[in-house]
Amino acid sequence: MKGLAAMKASARREEILKYLQAHQTGYTAELCRELDVSAMTIRRDFEVMAGQGLVTLIRGGAALNHGTSVVYSLKLRQTHLPLEKQRIAQRCADMVCEGNSVFIDCGSTAERIGEALRGKKNITVLTNSLDTAQVLSTAKGIKLIMVPGEFNEAIRGFTGLLTTDFIQRFRIDYIFLGANGIDASHGMTVPDYADAETKRVLIRQSRHVIVAADHAKLGSSYFEIVARLPEIEAIVTDSDADETIVQELRADGTEVILV
């Protein structure tokens, strides 16, 4: 791990994260030696990572956050597996036909679905994602409906009672959901209860329920159960997905599409 002093901060923090995943806790003095950087640099990295939800600051260092109720910042997730998410998004967009109504959920993969839909004509897109709404705000041929609610900074979108009440006014052809985790035992799960309730209402209002999740989400589970596998029509994921997990997901009749 030596020689990272001149590397970009993002690359250095990736190395710090790998260290924490192996040791759970990292101290500033240790990481100074490992990375050959100053204590000030390590402390600054820890502060950034704490803001992303990755670590909790402790005396002299930081401890890795983990557990079913932990959610990392969307900015961090947007940089993870970009090519895989792009392929997933394009496959989801290919399902949509002229005249369809579509709901795009919050999340880094869902935002890319919005980008992939920009070339579609005569479709209606509803979203509670601030970033997806921005992506589609100048798209020609798409009627964009921004779903209201209480802003949730972690997912950069709107959730809560106002959101669910508004959603129940519509019947939606395709919903594209983002998931923090999905496995055979628990189905689709997320860390945030308000996000989970919003997703549950969306599922009830939709004809086709599609989960868009890269392979890193498969086999994981989080605090709130959103939907069991029989409620999910299809999971679109990338071809690096673990074959055993894919077969477990398919066992209950859910289609798993590899791209």
Side-chain angles (χ1 to χ4, degrees), residues 180-194:
N180 295 85
I182 187 162
D183 67 358
S185 298
H186 305 96
M188 176 185 171
T189 55
V190 297
D192 186 279
Y193 70 90

Side-chain angles (χ1 to χ4, degrees), residues 90 92-98 116-123 139-142:
Q90 188 57 58
C92 289
D94 289 344
M95 298 179 184
V96 178
C97 299
E98 184 174 343
L117 285 173
R118 282 181 59 89
K120 297 284 184 178
K121 302 295 182 184
N122 191 29
I123 65 171
K140 306 298 183 185
I142 293 178

Side-chain angles (χ1 to χ4, degrees), residues 18-153:
K18 290 177 183 177
Y19 181 92
L20 291 172
Q21 288 170 336
H23 300 88
Q24 302 305 310
T25 301
Y27 292 95
T28 302
E30 294 173 354
L31 285 160
C32 286
R33 291 191 295 270
E34 287 287 330
L35 301 178
D36 193 22
V37 294
S38 69
M40 182 180 294
T41 296
I42 295 298
R43 284 194 292 268
R44 188 164 53 241
D45 287 337
F46 280 156
E47 288 172 0
V48 171
M49 294 170 74
Q52 294 173 330
L54 287 168
V55 303
T56 296
L57 299 178
I58 61 174
R59 186 177 178 84
L64 181 69
N65 287 338
H66 56 83
T68 62
S69 62
V70 173
V71 57
Y72 299 150
S73 76
L74 183 58
K75 282 187 177 180
L76 178 69
R77 287 178 277 135
Q78 284 169 332
T79 64
H80 188 54
L81 301 175
L83 297 179
E84 290 83 351
K85 290 176 180 179
Q86 187 174 344
R87 296 201 305 270
I88 292 167
Q90 188 57 58
R91 181 63 179 84
C92 289
D94 289 344
M95 298 179 184
V96 178
C97 299
E98 184 174 343
N100 282 162
S101 58
V102 178
F103 193 101
I104 302 178
D105 192 19
C106 298
S108 54
T109 305
E111 182 185 348
R112 285 175 169 80
I113 295 173
E115 293 170 350
L117 285 173
R118 282 181 59 89
K120 297 284 184 178
K121 302 295 182 184
N122 191 29
I123 65 171
T124 299
V125 176
L126 299 89
T127 185
N128 60 335
S129 165
L130 199 60
D131 295 321
T132 298
Q134 183 67 30
V135 165
L136 291 173
S137 62
T138 58
K140 306 298 183 185
I142 293 178
K143 180 184 291 185
L144 175 64
I145 299 175
M146 186 74 226
V147 177
E150 181 178 351
F151 185 66
N152 185 325
E153 184 177 0

Side-chain angles (χ1 to χ4, degrees), residues 4 7-18 35:
L4 293 179
M7 291 185 71
K8 290 184 178 179
S10 58
R12 187 178 61 249
R13 288 167 195 155
E14 184 71 25
E15 292 298 325
I16 293 173
L17 181 59
K18 290 177 183 177
L35 301 178

Side-chain angles (χ1 to χ4, degrees), residues 95 182-188 208-213 218 227-237 245-258:
M95 298 179 184
I182 187 162
D183 67 358
S185 298
H186 305 96
M188 176 185 171
H208 301 286
V209 178
I210 313 298
V211 174
L218 274 56
R228 301 289 183 176
L229 287 179
E231 301 174 75
I232 299 168
E233 180 178 326
I235 300 165
V236 183
T237 189
I245 296 175
V246 169
Q247 293 306 318
E248 290 173 350
L249 294 171
R250 286 173 171 164
D252 279 335
T254 300
E255 183 180 8
V256 179
I257 301 171
L258 301 176

